[in-house]
Amino acid sequence: MGQTPLDIDVAIIGAGPTALFAAFECGMLKLSCVLIDALGEIGGQCAALYPEKPIYDIPGHPSIEGGALIAALDAQIAPFDVPRLLGQRVEKLSGTRGAFTLETDKATS
Ligand SMILES: Cc1cc2nc3c(=O)[nH]c(=O)nc-3n(C[C@H](O)[C@H](O)[C@H](O)COP(=O)(O)OP(=O)(O)OC[C@H]3O[C@@H](n4cnc5c(N)ncnc54)[C@H](O)[C@@H]3O)c2cc1C
């Protein structure tokens, strides 16, 4: 198993809509972050299960398809250039605040 040391403030496990907005908030707070997802693409359920289904409960959007919502969230974090580790399932978290290790099924970060 290889190792990928990352010097970042926040590791966000998952890259669904919640995680993407968390990455935006990290950027606004000037915290560096990384998105890690077991799937090969960002977007969680919206992208993987219903990219063409309209969603009606997103503030400011009377109707938006799942895929379009993810594209908008992706565009919103673009200025922060957030790295993504996709296709990697996080399986273990160890260590303490300030120096922790995440183990994935592909590497340790
Ligand atoms: C068919 C369908 C229709 C829906 N319609 C609506 C709707 O109209 N309106 C609405 O508000 N909600 C709807 N939902 C619910 C909505 O999709 C979810 O509430 C939303 O996706 C949750 O976002 P999330 O980012 O918290 O999690 P998710 O979208 O579930 O994303 C979690 C991500 O984390 C990753 N992950 C989990 N564990 C690990 C790990 N250990 N390591 C690495 N990656 C990991 C997963 O691979 C996934 O990509 C619908 C859901 C479905 C299935």
Side-chain angles (χ1 to χ4, degrees):
M1 180 180 289
Q3 292 200 346
T4 309
L6 293 173
D7 183 14
I8 43 115
D9 297 314
V10 180
I12 302 173
I13 301 171
T18 308
L20 295 174
F21 195 69
F24 172 74
E25 292 292 354
C26 284
M28 294 300 286
L29 293 169
K30 302 196 184 312
L31 295 170
S32 61
C33 70
V34 61
L35 290 161
I36 310 170
D37 203 294
L39 300 178
E41 62 177 352
I42 63 166
Q45 294 177 44
C46 298
L49 299 180
Y50 60 98
E52 294 172 1
K53 186 186 89 70
I55 303 171
Y56 300 105
D57 55 356
I58 303 299
H61 293 277
S63 173
I64 185 168
E65 294 180 351
L69 174 62
I70 296 308
L73 288 164
D74 195 14
Q76 196 173 18
I77 62 172
F80 306 117
D81 202 19
V82 178
R84 297 123 197 253
L85 299 178
L86 300 178
Q88 293 195 36
R89 176 175 299 281
V90 175
E91 297 188 327
K92 189 176 176 186
L93 169 64
S94 57
T96 58
R97 184 179 174 182
F100 59 87
T101 299
L102 286 179
E103 292 181 28
T104 75
D105 58 355
K106 288 203 176 159
T108 302
S109 305

